Amino acid sequence: TTLTLLSVLFFFSACTGKTSKREEWVSLFNGKNLDGWTVKIKGYPVGENFGNTFRVEDGLLKVRYDEYDDFADRYGHIFTNESFSSYKLRAEYRFVGDQVKGGAGWAYRNNGVMFHSQSAESMHLDQDFPVSIEAQLLGGDGTGERPTGSVCTPGTEIYINGKHYTAHCFESNSKTYDGDQWVNFELVVYKDSLVHHIVEGDTVLTYTNLTVGGGNVSPTPNIPLGPLKQGHIALQAESHPTDFRKIEIMKLD
């Protein structure tokens, strides 16, 4: 009986050890520089950070446009160098200041976490958005509801509520976050099969069956159609200043 009890205790101890190792959060942003990330801005070569758009100040990853005269559709993204498949991702973001001159109306207080994305190196020089799934981040405009944590599908398609969804964006059921407050956003991603969007602890959107296909990317890169099981993570520069902090990932094996 004693040996049996010891065996059971050893088994649970071993399981606990494995679980704690598997559920370790790892920071993707070191708070000091952009090591581990690669910039790609429309019209500029990979790695050229035009206008110091993406920068690190005060321990924050900032998106800024103070060196722009006009936005001129220079959509930018900063990509993780590593590719991921199944994971939890969490980040805090806030919108600050004024939108740069020339930014589109829809891009006001608008950013996003692009995941299962093509790499920066595989984008065309003048490509606007990477083929990816976008967890859209929106700030309120002070006039009405503007939920965050919606989904958009540049060059991709998904299923929502068991139905094939081919339009570009689907709105979440989150509340509106006005002003410059920090907002906590989380993603739970299981390869191509299931994704949850979580805002301030509430699941605001769920979808399934991620695939490559559809429009809203120009020019279209040569990426094979089919299930979208993995890719890079990217943050956007769509014309409104944004701050990010605590960008962390937990791989789910």
Side-chain angles (χ1 to χ4, degrees):
T1 303
T2 303
L3 286 175
T4 302
L5 179 59
L6 288 173
S7 298
V8 171
L9 290 174
F10 177 78
F11 172 77
F12 279 109
S13 175
C15 287
T16 302
K18 289 180 181 177
T19 300
S20 103
K21 183 177 180 181
R22 185 170 67 246
E23 295 185 349
E24 180 181 0
W25 286 98
V26 176
S27 180
L28 293 176
F29 169 56
N30 64 21
K32 300 176 182 178
N33 52 47
L34 298 178
D35 287 357
W37 298 78
T38 298
V39 173
K40 175 65 183 78
I41 295 174
K42 179 184 175 184
Y44 298 88
V46 173
E48 184 172 335
N49 189 10
F50 170 79
N52 197 24
T53 303
F54 297 97
R55 63 187 72 167
V56 179
E57 296 173 341
D58 306 318
L60 305 177
L61 197 166
K62 297 185 175 183
V63 184
R64 293 292 187 271
Y65 307 94
D66 49 280
E67 297 183 24
Y68 286 60
D69 292 326
D70 188 279
F71 185 62
D73 293 336
R74 286 179 281 210
Y75 295 104
H77 298 82
I78 185 168
F79 299 76
T80 60
N81 293 341
E82 187 176 351
S83 181
F84 304 96
S85 182
S86 294
Y87 54 89
K88 295 180 183 179
L89 179 79
R90 64 187 183 192
E92 295 181 3
Y93 71 92
R94 68 180 179 185
F95 295 101
V96 297
D98 298 320
Q99 186 180 21
V100 66
K101 177 185 176 183
W106 55 262
Y108 174 82
R109 290 185 175 259
N110 189 338
N111 203 297
V113 176
M114 323 293 281
F115 67 98
H116 282 9
S117 170
Q118 68 179 111
S119 67
E121 293 78 8
S122 67
M123 291 186 67
H124 294 300
L125 179 68
D126 293 321
Q127 189 175 330
D128 46 10
F129 302 102
V131 170
S132 59
I133 305 291
E134 178 189 353
Q136 187 184 57
L137 308 177
L138 291 179
D141 58 13
T143 63
E145 294 184 359
R146 202 166 187 246
T148 190
S150 297
V151 62
C152 298
T153 53
T156 54
E157 294 179 352
I158 56 177
Y159 275 65
I160 298 178
N161 299 322
K163 296 181 179 179
H164 190 196
Y165 187 77
T166 57
H168 183 45
C169 294
F170 186 91
E171 194 171 273
S172 81
N173 62 9
S174 89
K175 60 181 276 190
T176 298
Y177 294 87
D178 290 306
D180 296 352
Q181 63 183 302
W182 286 102
V183 180
N184 183 281
F185 179 74
E186 297 181 59
L187 273 175
V188 182
V189 181
Y190 294 101
K191 296 186 178 180
D192 62 327
S193 61
L194 178 67
V195 177
H196 298 297
H197 290 193
I198 303 169
V199 178
E200 293 293 339
D202 292 329
T203 301
V204 299
L205 184 62
T206 297
Y207 49 94
T208 62
N209 299 77
L210 284 57
T211 60
V212 177
N216 300 293
V217 171
S218 178
T220 305
N222 184 24
I223 296 179
L225 302 179
L228 185 57
K229 296 178 179 290
Q230 64 180 3
H232 301 265
I233 294 167
L235 307 175
Q236 293 190 299
E238 290 190 308
S239 72
H240 203 110
T242 315
D243 292 338
F244 291 92
R245 68 181 183 185
K246 296 181 181 178
I247 307 169
E248 299 173 312
I249 196 165
M250 177 195 296
K251 295 180 183 179
L252 302 175
D253 298 325

